[in-house]
Amino acid sequence: MGPTASPGVLAVIPLWLEPLQRLVEAGGSVLVVIALVAMLLFSLALERVWYFRITYRHARRALIARWAARQDHLSWSALTLREAWARELIGRLRRPLPWLRLLVALCPLLGLLGTVTGMIAVFDSLAMTDTSQARAMADGVARATLPTLTSMAVAVVGLLFTSRLEQIIRREDQRLHDRLARAVEDTDA
């Protein structure tokens, strides 16, 4: 543990948190909100990977076995039931997509908020000093754009994950219907 002096406050923080403290000081409090949104976004992403790899595959196998065990596969009610079962299973796979999209869309807005508040702080400090120091202004602008850079990076990664998840869901929807049809063919043969 190493003591770190903050402006006006002597704080003792662990060494492993010092880079995080410097990042927050550089980007402001909006950067902390962006970090929280990023953690939530990536937690949801990891949960979806876990769900798809473990839970969904077991549920898919159980659904196929339940469909194959039925006696009636050709009536309208049987086909409607099969479609309802498949829609329910795919719906569970789709469940967090609106939240993922919301968090991805929120990131650039938070970055813009950080930039605006940072620029207000820069102009306010320049007005207080009553001098036009180009170096101080450049440092302030660099600090103000850090939240935008961070939020865009989080949004791009989140967008890539969300697009990939949507592609996987479309593929799995088709595969599930194909496997249900094949399960009937295999039991009839």
Side-chain angles (χ1 to χ4, degrees):
M1 301 224 330
T4 302
S6 300
V9 177
L10 181 63
V12 178
I13 62 168
L15 280 174
W16 60 275
L17 283 178
E18 285 182 13
L20 203 57
Q21 181 189 16
R22 284 194 300 270
L23 188 64
V24 170
E25 288 172 358
S29 59
V30 175
L31 202 59
V32 175
V33 176
I34 293 169
L36 292 173
V37 168
M39 284 191 287
L40 182 60
L41 178 67
F42 297 133
S43 295
L44 280 173
L46 285 174
E47 184 274 334
R48 278 298 92 181
V49 169
W50 177 267
Y51 179 82
F52 179 71
R53 298 264 184 216
I54 308 291
T55 309
Y56 172 76
R57 290 182 179 176
H58 291 303
R60 182 182 62 200
R61 278 189 228 114
L63 175 64
I64 292 170
R66 187 170 37 158
W67 174 249
R70 285 183 52 86
Q71 296 297 321
D72 178 23
H73 295 116
L74 301 175
S75 70
W76 176 84
S77 61
L79 294 175
T80 304
L81 181 63
R82 181 182 90 170
E83 185 61 33
W85 285 350
R87 202 173 314 126
E88 177 192 350
L89 187 60
I90 294 298
R92 281 188 264 154
L93 196 56
R94 265 184 227 280
R95 190 170 294 145
L97 271 177
W99 290 106
L100 289 168
R101 287 187 195 120
L102 173 73
L103 293 172
V104 167
L106 189 63
C107 282
L109 297 175
L110 288 171
L112 182 61
L113 176 66
T115 298
V116 169
T117 56
M119 292 304 291
I120 288 171
V122 167
F123 293 136
D124 190 39
S125 69
L126 287 176
M128 295 282 227
T129 60
D130 205 25
T131 60
S132 58
Q133 298 174 353
R135 179 72 181 150
M137 187 169 169
D139 286 344
V141 170
R143 288 176 139 192
T145 56
L146 185 62
T148 301
L149 173 69
T150 306
S151 67
M152 287 300 181
V154 171
V156 166
V157 173
L159 186 62
L160 290 173
F161 176 79
T162 305
S163 298
R164 178 72 177 134
L165 181 61
E166 288 173 343
Q167 179 187 14
I168 288 170
I169 290 170
R170 283 191 300 273
R171 184 189 70 208
E172 281 302 311
D173 190 15
Q174 185 61 44
R175 280 185 180 174
L176 179 62
H177 283 87
D178 292 346
R179 287 178 180 177
L180 287 169
R182 249 186 285 134
V184 172
E185 293 170 3
D186 291 344
T187 57
D188 288 345

